Amino acid sequence: LAAMSRGVKKGSLIAVIGDEDTCTGFLLGGIGDINSKREPNFLVVNKDTTVTTLEETFRAFVERDDIAIILINQSIAEDIRPLLDQHTEPIPAVLEIPSKECPYDPSKDSILRRARGMFSAEDFR
């Protein structure tokens, strides 16, 4: 509820947790930012990145009031799935995206699974 009450401020950021290609693409698109505490709004994940680092970065992005959306490669999201499933606030929105190596699998997407539970086939007739 705290995140909802803070709303989305003008100039809110998109954060990215992704592989090098994903982060590079979004940074070239202009989403890169470093706040006054010298904290970037992205994490480039490689084979040496620990689950602890992923969890800490995700928690830090969720706590920042200047981030409205967190994009995360679905393959990386699988490494911290329990933490992602605990995040139920609408802001920041967490969106799982594909990477070059791993196509998107809707059955693994926690937001899509939650949305399916909200509707039945009867709702669309």
Side-chain angles (χ1 to χ4, degrees), residues 38-51:
R38 308 291 302 152
E39 299 166 327
N41 64 330
F42 60 92
L43 173 68
V44 178
V45 178
N46 59 39
K47 62 180 175 53
D48 298 324
T49 305
T50 65
V51 172

Side-chain angles (χ1 to χ4, degrees), residues 39-88:
E39 299 166 327
N41 64 330
F42 60 92
L43 173 68
V44 178
V45 178
N46 59 39
K47 62 180 175 53
D48 298 324
T49 305
T50 65
V51 172
T52 302
T53 300
L54 294 173
E55 291 173 340
E56 289 171 355
T57 300
F58 179 79
R59 283 189 188 103
F61 287 167
V62 167
E63 292 299 317
R64 283 178 54 175
D65 64 357
D66 62 339
I67 292 178
I69 300 172
I70 300 172
L71 301 176
I72 183 169
N73 284 134
Q74 191 174 52
S75 57
I76 296 166
E78 284 300 308
D79 293 337
I80 59 169
R81 177 65 58 204
L83 184 60
L84 290 178
D85 288 344
Q86 289 174 12
H87 178 70
T88 57

